[in-house]
Amino acid sequence: MIHIVFNEADIKVIKEAMALDETLQGEVTQIKDDYAMGPLGNIYIGEGIEARKQWWREILAGGDYAGKADGGEVDDYKTVAELVGTMRRDPEQLIWIWAAQNKHDVSGYYWLLKYMQEFQGRVFILYLNNLPFINEKGNIFYPNWLYEIPAKEFLKAKKLAREITLSEFEVDPDEWTKLCGENKGIRLLEGGKKLGQEDYDFYDAELVKFITPDWQKASKIIHQIGSKAKHTTGDAYLLWRLKVMIAQDMFDVQGKVGNMKEFEIKMKV
């Protein structure tokens, strides 16, 4: 069995669950890119793949994550080629795709589905959509991310595994193709597996809310979004959007506009 997850933190908890239940034994593979943001046009051919890589280079350049821009850490196409090879060589092999109710996991599921179609009947989904679990304190909660679920609770979650139907393999790729053709930069989960899209500046208004007449480090502004905003995204993206607005002379700035702790921002007087 091959378990597919979409976050690095998910790997640890899946492996902990394996230690508790031998029926879960298998490999864990991560799809690393965040398909909830960035360009999707021609995403399965060379032109679109390179355009997306170039976009990520721009986002990550000159900031806290600059070292990852060309480090080769993310190559989902290589990962999926190895997966497909394994599935073709071993007709008994199964894939379990784990996804929680968030735009990151659902976007990753949609991207992956194209490569799974030839294995219909051997690919299962565990979509933890609006399902209650018990946390370490014994309280009921509704997780947004797999890694929030205690390992022992995965023994209950495994009962949710179901085969991805022929109908889903027909309908879901069409939905994804439509999104890819809209040329927008942000995916948002509207409920179930339904994704909507917004333009690249979607988070700008949220960033502006946390910029005050007093100097604040960019890192503080960005981290407030993570803890207080309804819609959140990665620090690297928010740092990029701050820099875009700074380039438009929207705020006063002091310090070197690089890493998020190196410069401060305040409203223009």
Side-chain angles (χ1 to χ4, degrees):
M1 184 187 298
I2 300 170
H3 300 278
I4 297 179
V5 296
F6 300 98
N7 300 277
E8 188 172 355
D10 298 342
I11 298 172
K12 179 174 179 284
V13 74
I14 292 278
K15 287 185 174 178
E16 288 174 353
M18 283 182 191
L20 298 173
D21 185 347
E22 62 181 18
T23 67
L24 287 172
Q25 289 299 318
E27 299 175 32
V28 185
T29 297
Q30 181 193 355
I31 300 301
K32 294 183 177 181
D33 199 349
D34 186 353
Y35 296 98
M37 63 175 77
L40 297 178
N42 296 318
I43 197 170
Y44 296 108
I45 63 174
E47 176 189 348
I49 293 167
E50 185 52 43
R52 187 168 174 84
K53 284 182 181 177
Q54 186 55 44
W55 180 81
W56 271 117
R57 290 183 194 113
E58 181 185 345
I59 300 307
L60 300 173
D64 300 65
Y65 305 94
K68 295 185 178 180
D70 289 295
E73 288 91 345
V74 176
D75 189 348
D76 290 338
Y77 298 92
K78 179 183 176 184
T79 299
V80 88
E82 292 170 353
L83 270 174
V84 168
T86 299
M87 293 294 284
R88 287 175 178 168
R89 286 189 299 272
D90 182 0
E92 301 300 313
Q93 187 68 264
L94 302 177
I95 282 179
W96 279 21
I97 301 171
W98 294 81
Q101 194 178 25
N102 62 73
K103 57 186 179 285
H104 173 79
D105 288 10
V106 173
S107 297
Y109 157 81
Y110 275 118
W111 175 85
L112 178 65
L113 211 56
K114 175 183 175 68
Y115 299 104
M116 299 290 102
Q117 285 175 299
E118 68 177 279
F119 309 114
Q120 199 270 322
R122 298 163 57 198
V123 184
F124 293 75
I125 181 77
L126 296 97
Y127 185 33
L128 311 185
N129 174 18
N130 271 337
L131 293 168
F133 289 87
I134 298 172
N135 64 19
E136 298 289 4
K137 295 180 179 178
N139 299 321
I140 291 175
F141 79 114
Y142 291 83
N144 292 316
W145 301 91
L146 286 179
Y147 56 76
E148 296 173 340
I149 304 170
K152 64 180 183 296
E153 286 286 284
F154 274 83
L155 311 188
K156 179 171 70 177
K158 75 172 186 178
K159 297 174 184 175
L160 302 170
R162 65 168 183 80
E163 191 180 302
I164 296 177
T165 65
L166 191 57
S167 172
E168 285 174 301
F169 271 118
E170 291 171 353
V171 173
D172 286 354
D174 288 345
E175 182 71 18
W176 183 241
T177 299
K178 179 187 167 195
L179 293 170
C180 291
E182 288 179 358
N183 197 29
K184 295 203 171 186
I186 296 295
R187 264 63 66 195
L188 299 172
L189 188 63
E190 296 180 345
K193 290 188 297 182
K194 176 71 174 171
L195 291 172
Q197 293 202 105
E198 298 289 343
D199 291 321
Y200 286 97
D201 62 1
F202 175 75
Y203 295 101
D204 291 8
E206 207 64 55
L207 281 163
V208 170
K209 282 183 192 174
F210 294 103
I211 295 170
T212 69
D214 301 315
W215 290 111
Q216 293 182 91
K217 286 194 182 294
S219 56
K220 181 180 178 183
I221 295 164
I222 286 169
H223 292 150
Q224 282 181 311
I225 296 248
S227 60
K228 297 179 181 178
K230 178 183 177 183
H231 295 290
T232 60
T233 190
D235 291 355
Y237 189 86
L238 294 174
L239 178 60
W240 173 63
R241 291 309 306 173
L242 267 183
K243 290 179 179 179
V244 168
M245 288 189 280
I246 288 167
Q248 296 168 350
D249 200 29
M250 290 177 63
F251 317 117
D252 286 335
V253 184
Q254 64 181 15
K256 177 190 173 187
V257 181
N259 292 354
M260 65 180 84
K261 290 184 178 178
E262 292 180 334
F263 65 100
E264 296 180 314
I265 304 175
K266 68 180 180 68
M267 290 167 55
K268 277 190 172 292
V269 178

